[in-house]
Amino acid sequence: MINQSDIERRYLAIKEQAEKSGYHLNPDEDFAKELVHGILTNEERYGFAACPCRLCVGPREENLDIICPCDYRDQDITEFGVCYCALYVSKDVAAGITPVSYIPDRRAPPGKCDSGDPKQTEVPEDEKSSLLQEGRPLLYPVFRCRVCGYLCARTSPPETCPICGAASDRFEKYLQ
Amino acid sequence: MINQSDIERRYLAIKEQAEKSGYHLNPDEDFAKELVHGILTNEERYGFAACPCRLCVGPREENLDIICPCDYRDQDITEFGVCYCALYVSKDVAAGITPVSYIPDRRAPPGKCDSGDPKQTEVPEDEKSSLLQEGRPLLYPVFRCRVCGYLCARTSPPETCPICGAASDRFEKYLQ
Amino acid sequence: MINQSDIERRYLAIKEQAEKSGYHLNPDEDFAKELVHGILTNEERYGFAACPCRLCVGPREENLDIICPCDYRDQDITEFGVCYCALYVSKDVAAGITPVSYIPDRRAPPGKCDSGDPKQTEVPEDEKSSLLQEGRPLLYPVFRCRVCGYLCARTSPPETCPICGAASDRFEKYLQ
């Protein structure tokens, strides 16, 4: 049985981890805690913290991409200001400057092929091992924080550098 | 109007961010708070936290390199033990082992070409996209922390690994 | 003279740094503090925090790999659940799920050549500078956190992403 103090404890742990890395939770605390309740329910049910807003079928290995925080969070925050559940939001949404909006699910439906999202595209093993070959692009570009030199491989730079706190426009494309 | 409590609050936020990432503020607290006052003044005046010790002309996009912490901080700390303003200092300066010194400005004067600092050199777009070509050096070498594997692209390793706290001599050159 | 409050202070500093980066100290606090005592003793004796469970001969430059946390910690935690001293342990050992075991020393004895550990293999300078050459493998593969894009070069992914807290199975091989 999940009780209120389990939810509070997990909510605080998630919030602390988010803030230390430059992420923000939905400013509507009751809404956020409802989602945390859903995460805890999934953890009891499946044995892992599956996204509370998505259908989870199969074992952990087949659902790694939707364990919260999911593989789609950061790109959704960049493009829409919120993740699919709206548990995580952009700085502007957190500050109440931009309203929360509802967004499409970036994950391909089970059994369907995904439309070109590199996170879903299966890369053949021999290609993976030759990523450094001339002329072959990387799976994701590497961004570099011009302030502290932090490197990360993502669709676009993070909203806030998790190391030094610099804003996304302080990043440059370093490798692609 | 900027009041003392604005300065205190911002000073503490900057100090916390610095310490979490292995940086140090000037141990002269009054001096550091004067600089924070300057940062807040620039934020009111320009809309962004321009360096309080440099001339700021034009919009944010043209002054990204001197938003505090500036693009030059880390290299200045490595070479001189302080950043240009002396808001950020090395571990030895913070501990009072090395005195604070005054240092030249690494930023090129507006309209002047810079003398070979890669941060100022404009790289043509087609070269940027072929950084992985054989024989072509990277814009900055990549350093690797031998303790935790952290990677960063900088002129030299950080004084302290922001992930595991290892000292700069625990880093090795990983790519160049 | 090292007294109890020195040990307490250092123990707390090491614990805080560990937890912020996703590492765990041995849950047996008395045992862990004995090791911290050894680290402080070595710091007094040699001038640097050499591993308390290994023989330290020569200056800092020749013992960088065994300054605590040592270069071998992370690989030992991945393979054995503990570092050589058992000061640092895996999440499962920390939680009491897996017992602490004693493990072999990964470091080559002084004067002996190491058996293929890349950390010990001396790479000729001209090869180091051509790591990006086609067909030449990297010294360590680069892993990418699929959640936040964090990159690190290690034998295997970290147990916990130090940026976003994701588990090791959320990492993918990005470059090799």
Side-chain angles (χ1 to χ4, degrees):
Chain A
M1 260 308 287
I2 297 153
N3 59 42
Q4 198 54 36
S5 82
D6 296 329
I7 297 173
E8 290 293 336
R9 203 166 32 240
R10 185 64 164 265
Y11 170 77
L12 289 175
I14 291 175
K15 192 170 150 69
E16 192 189 350
Q17 174 70 56
E19 285 171 359
K20 133 180 145 67
S21 320
Y23 293 93
H24 305 274
L25 295 194
N26 197 309
D28 181 340
E29 240 184 80
D30 290 338
F31 175 80
K33 283 175 187 167
E34 265 314 299
L35 290 168
V36 171
H37 190 176
I39 290 172
L40 290 170
T41 304
N42 282 350
E43 212 163 49
E44 274 199 354
R45 188 182 293 156
Y46 305 121
F48 54 93
C51 171
C53 306
R54 283 179 173 105
L55 194 64
C56 179
V57 182
R60 180 180 168 101
E61 310 85 83
E62 288 170 24
N63 291 283
L64 288 172
D65 61 323
I66 58 160
I67 293 175
C68 183
C70 70
D71 287 7
Y72 314 107
R73 174 186 65 171
D74 287 21
Q75 206 175 340
D76 282 338
I77 291 173
T78 302
E79 286 178 37
F80 302 108
V82 291
C83 73
Y84 183 57
C85 287
L87 175 58
Y88 292 94
V89 302
S90 71
K91 198 177 168 184
D92 279 359
V93 171
I97 296 168
T98 313
V100 172
S101 59
Y102 289 93
I103 68 166
D105 191 355
R106 201 176 281 279
R107 191 195 205 198
K112 294 243 175 165
C113 203
D114 192 57
S115 53
D117 183 334
K119 275 167 186 154
Q120 292 289 329
T121 311
E122 213 42 68
V123 178
E125 272 312 311
D126 64 321
E127 289 198 27
K128 266 189 182 163
S129 64
S130 60
L131 284 166
L132 275 178
Q133 276 190 7
E134 207 173 325
R136 198 184 293 268
L138 291 166
L139 222 51
Y140 290 91
V142 175
F143 290 94
R144 171 185 180 269
C145 174
R146 294 174 70 103
V147 178
C148 70
Y150 174 69
L151 297 173
C152 52
R154 303 161 47 100
T155 311
S156 56
E159 190 172 37
T160 303
C161 174
I163 301 298
C164 74
S168 63
D169 60 3
R170 308 294 295 276
F171 278 80
E172 63 187 350
K173 203 173 268 185
Y174 183 70
L175 285 176
Q176 64 183 357
Chain B
M1 261 308 286
I2 296 154
N3 59 45
Q4 198 54 36
S5 81
D6 295 330
I7 296 173
E8 291 292 336
R9 202 166 34 240
R10 186 63 165 265
Y11 170 77
L12 289 175
I14 290 176
K15 191 170 151 68
E16 191 189 352
Q17 174 70 57
E19 286 171 0
K20 134 180 145 69
S21 319
Y23 294 94
H24 306 274
L25 294 195
N26 196 307
D28 181 340
E29 239 184 81
D30 290 338
F31 175 80
K33 283 176 186 166
E34 264 315 299
L35 290 169
V36 172
H37 191 176
I39 290 172
L40 290 170
T41 305
N42 282 351
E43 212 163 50
E44 273 199 356
R45 190 183 292 157
Y46 305 120
F48 54 93
C51 171
C53 306
R54 283 180 174 104
L55 193 63
C56 179
V57 182
R60 179 180 169 100
E61 310 84 84
E62 289 170 23
N63 292 282
L64 288 172
D65 60 324
I66 58 160
I67 292 174
C68 183
C70 71
D71 287 7
Y72 314 107
R73 175 186 62 170
D74 287 21
Q75 205 175 340
D76 282 338
I77 291 173
T78 302
E79 286 178 35
F80 302 108
V82 292
C83 74
Y84 182 58
C85 287
L87 176 58
Y88 292 94
V89 302
S90 72
K91 200 179 166 182
D92 279 359
V93 171
I97 297 168
T98 312
V100 172
S101 59
Y102 288 93
I103 68 166
D105 191 356
R106 201 177 281 280
R107 192 196 206 198
K112 294 241 176 166
C113 203
D114 192 57
S115 53
D117 182 334
K119 276 169 185 149
Q120 292 288 330
T121 312
E122 211 42 69
V123 177
E125 272 312 311
D126 63 322
E127 289 196 27
K128 267 189 181 161
S129 65
S130 60
L131 283 167
L132 274 178
Q133 276 190 7
E134 207 174 325
R136 197 185 293 270
L138 292 166
L139 221 51
Y140 290 91
V142 175
F143 290 94
R144 172 185 179 269
C145 174
R146 293 174 70 103
V147 179
C148 71
Y150 175 68
L151 297 173
C152 52
R154 302 160 48 101
T155 310
S156 55
E159 189 172 38
T160 302
C161 174
I163 301 298
C164 75
S168 63
D169 59 4
R170 308 294 294 275
F171 278 80
E172 64 188 348
K173 203 172 267 185
Y174 184 70
L175 284 177
Q176 62 187 356
Chain C
M1 262 307 285
I2 297 154
N3 59 43
Q4 198 54 37
S5 82
D6 295 330
I7 297 172
E8 291 292 335
R9 204 168 30 242
R10 186 64 165 264
Y11 170 77
L12 288 175
I14 290 175
K15 192 169 150 66
E16 192 189 351
Q17 174 70 56
E19 286 172 357
K20 132 179 147 69
S21 317
Y23 294 94
H24 306 274
L25 295 195
N26 197 307
D28 181 341
E29 241 184 80
D30 291 338
F31 175 79
K33 283 176 187 166
E34 264 314 298
L35 291 169
V36 171
H37 190 176
I39 290 172
L40 290 170
T41 305
N42 282 351
E43 212 163 50
E44 272 198 356
R45 188 182 294 157
Y46 306 120
F48 54 92
C51 171
C53 306
R54 283 181 174 104
L55 193 64
C56 179
V57 181
R60 180 181 169 99
E61 310 84 84
E62 289 170 23
N63 292 282
L64 288 172
D65 61 324
I66 58 160
I67 293 174
C68 182
C70 71
D71 286 8
Y72 314 107
R73 175 186 63 171
D74 287 22
Q75 206 175 340
D76 282 338
I77 291 173
T78 302
E79 286 177 37
F80 302 107
V82 291
C83 73
Y84 182 57
C85 288
L87 175 57
Y88 292 94
V89 302
S90 71
K91 199 178 166 183
D92 279 359
V93 171
I97 297 168
T98 312
V100 172
S101 59
Y102 289 93
I103 67 166
D105 191 356
R106 200 177 282 280
R107 193 196 203 197
K112 294 244 174 163
C113 203
D114 192 57
S115 54
D117 183 335
K119 275 167 186 152
Q120 292 288 330
T121 311
E122 212 42 69
V123 178
E125 272 311 311
D126 64 322
E127 289 197 27
K128 267 189 180 160
S129 65
S130 60
L131 284 166
L132 274 178
Q133 275 189 8
E134 206 173 324
R136 196 184 294 270
L138 292 165
L139 221 51
Y140 290 90
V142 176
F143 290 94
R144 172 184 179 270
C145 174
R146 293 173 70 102
V147 178
C148 71
Y150 175 68
L151 296 174
C152 52
R154 302 161 48 100
T155 311
S156 55
E159 189 171 39
T160 302
C161 174
I163 301 299
C164 75
S168 62
D169 60 3
R170 309 295 294 276
F171 278 81
E172 63 187 350
K173 204 173 266 185
Y174 183 70
L175 284 177
Q176 63 185 358

